[in-house]
């Protein structure tokens, strides 16, 4: 923090000029070189640098976090609508706000947990497929979608698991197709 003269002292030119301490003056290095950070990631091992995909831990964190965040936002919005619909004629402002907050929090947590678990299952199955097949292609994502849907709904029975697995294949296939199209045609826009 820079030195500032107290307000009660008169500001005169007869005061000595105050020189602030510069810890880098004797190093002989320009200050801008001290904070020159690399723009590419640095890796500890060569194997990490050669890999062109995220690790299983990064996938786990990414998909679970995105799923929970998306579910919490969507569930919070749905809870807001439900909270507004549950207003009664004699409610005070505090009671209405309380209904909205309770409904948004409950629905947001529920949806966030559900989508977080779906992201957790998907990332685990996709990472297992990459390790098993030793390749990163579209089929890993499609099989991960199938396995995620089936595992998530297995408690409802075989039919429910089969339908959810089919939905998972369609969703994963659509996402991969859109991602590939975006990579191919994004530079044309």
């Amino acid at each position: 923090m820079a030195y500032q003269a107290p307000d009660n002292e008169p500001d005169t030119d007869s005061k000595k000029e105050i020189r602030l301490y510069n810890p880098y003056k004797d190093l002989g290095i320009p200050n801008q070189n001290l904070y020159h950070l690399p723009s590419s990631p640095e890796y500890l091992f060569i194997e990490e640098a050669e890999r062109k995909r995220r690790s299983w831990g990064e996938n786990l964190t990414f998909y679970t976090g995105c799923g929970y965040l998306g579910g919490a936002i969507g569930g919070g919005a749905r809870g807001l609508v439900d909270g507004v619909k549950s207003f009664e004629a004699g409610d005070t402002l505090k009671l209405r706000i309380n209904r909205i907050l309770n409904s948004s929090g409950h629905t947001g947590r529920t949806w966030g947990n559900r989508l977080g678990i779906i992201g957790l299952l998907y990332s685990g199955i996709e990472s297992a497929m990459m390790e098993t097949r030793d390749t990163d292609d579209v089929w890993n994502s499609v099989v991960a979608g199938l396995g995620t849907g089936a595992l998530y709904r297995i408690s409802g029975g075989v039919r429910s698991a089969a339908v959810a697995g089919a939905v998972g294949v369609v969703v994963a296939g659509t996402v991969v197709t859109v991602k590939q199209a975006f990579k191919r045609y994004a530079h044309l826009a």
Side-chain angles (χ1 to χ4, degrees), residues 47-159:
E47 294 84 15
E48 292 176 335
E50 292 173 349
R51 189 183 55 206
K52 300 295 182 202
R53 61 181 187 258
R54 292 188 296 250
S55 69
W56 69 270
E58 292 167 341
N59 271 344
L60 180 81
T61 305
F62 177 74
Y63 288 126
T64 305
C66 287
Y68 186 84
L69 182 63
I73 290 171
R78 174 61 189 213
L80 175 73
V81 171
D82 290 344
V84 169
K85 284 182 181 179
S86 70
F87 286 169
E88 294 178 3
D91 287 349
T92 63
L93 179 62
K94 280 186 174 182
L95 190 56
R96 288 181 180 188
I97 290 172
N98 192 12
R99 284 181 194 265
I100 289 173
L101 291 176
N102 285 341
S103 182
S104 296
H106 176 72
T107 310
R109 278 191 312 273
T110 303
W111 285 25
N113 289 336
R114 287 178 184 170
L115 288 180
I117 291 297
I118 288 172
L120 179 86
L121 291 172
Y122 181 82
S123 68
I125 294 171
E126 186 183 41
S127 295
M129 288 296 297
M130 278 191 238
E131 278 300 315
T132 303
R133 297 183 63 230
D134 199 29
T135 184
D136 186 18
D137 60 0
V138 176
W139 294 109
N140 292 340
S141 298
V142 172
V143 170
L146 171 71
T148 299
L151 276 175
Y152 186 72
R153 299 299 282 178
I154 194 70
S155 62
V158 176
R159 182 176 179 189

Side-chain angles (χ1 to χ4, degrees), residues 163-183:
V163 170
V167 169
V169 166
V170 170
V171 169
T174 303
V175 168
V176 167
T177 303
V178 168
K179 183 178 171 184
Q180 294 296 328
F182 185 73
K183 282 183 180 178

